[in-house]
Amino acid sequence: MRDLLRGLTVFAGPLGTFDPGTAPEDPLELFRTWFAEAVAAGVNEPHAMTVATVDTEGVPSARILIMKDLTPEGWWFATTTTSAKGHDLARNANVALLFFWGPQGRQVRVRGRAELADAESRAADFRHRPLEGRVAGLHGRQSEPLAALSEVHRVAEESRERLTADPDLVPEDWGLYLVRPSEVEFWQGDPDRRHTRLRYDREDTGWRRGLLWP
């Protein structure tokens, strides 16, 4: 395995460029710029992000979710409140996000606290999901033990019938979360490993910026 790994290309390029001296005061503004550049460059699923939480024992878990929105308050994602990550967030709101845009050699790391949105916002988010997304979100059994794959198909068909009969149906455990950032880091890769790292730290009066050693 080690020989196979060492034979793989890293930073094949062409990579993005980044001058931290031109970075805006607000990290969300810089994120919007990088995100738009990832979309323009044809990066697959640029809105996919790793969401990391911790359980009651302090053991971390990470999974890929889709960013639902970016507002001046922070990043948004959705899941059921009864899922493993929903239970984690109910006990410990600390959360980390990671965006990785490999073709450009870029990462964005976010640390902050997750807040559950109000019931009206959660319901609106669920109703705007595509049908199969609502079907998957209706059963409320995420992360529970599964006896056979056929059960997934059976319950999905039942959920589809319920949604056909009641298109406005919203499960009580649907969760929409806002991550209010306390720290945001922008990482630009370099083929010679002279990576550029710029971190924003939230303070009472705004954001403090600083470079980090790679």
Side-chain angles (χ1 to χ4, degrees), residues 37-197:
E37 291 175 358
V39 173
V43 175
N44 290 330
E45 299 179 340
H47 54 337
M49 61 184 182
T50 300
V51 179
T53 59
V54 293
D55 64 16
T56 54
E57 303 299 323
V59 178
S61 294
R63 72 289 286 169
I64 304 295
L65 296 179
I66 295 297
M67 179 178 68
K68 302 301 296 288
D69 200 359
L70 177 69
T71 63
E73 294 77 24
W75 286 260
W76 296 77
F77 67 87
T79 185
T80 55
T81 59
T82 52
S83 65
K85 50 189 171 295
H87 286 305
D88 285 352
L89 293 172
R91 301 182 184 103
N92 187 336
N94 291 313
V95 64
L97 310 177
L98 172 63
F99 293 85
F100 176 60
W101 301 316
Q104 297 173 303
R106 286 178 170 176
Q107 300 181 61
V108 180
R109 301 172 60 222
V110 180
R111 294 206 295 181
R113 292 180 64 82
E115 299 178 3
L116 185 63
D118 60 68
E120 183 178 352
S121 298
R122 300 198 305 270
D125 176 79
F126 186 83
R127 293 191 182 105
H128 279 90
R129 290 169 65 84
L131 176 59
E132 291 306 318
R134 283 180 287 144
V135 168
L138 193 60
H139 61 69
R141 298 182 184 180
Q142 190 178 75
S143 300
E144 292 183 7
L146 176 66
L149 289 177
S150 59
E151 276 294 285
V152 175
H153 300 299
R154 182 185 65 78
V155 173
E157 290 306 316
E158 292 177 354
S159 295
R160 185 178 288 105
E161 292 176 2
R162 292 173 62 193
L163 287 166
T164 300
D166 183 3
D168 290 328
L169 181 63
V170 176
E172 293 183 359
D173 66 347
W174 188 248
L176 177 66
Y177 293 87
L178 163 65
V179 177
R180 294 186 183 273
S182 58
E183 177 186 305
V184 186
E185 179 188 327
F186 295 83
W187 190 98
Q188 175 63 66
D190 178 83
D192 296 323
R193 307 302 195 270
R194 301 174 185 178
H195 313 308
T196 300
R197 296 175 63 188

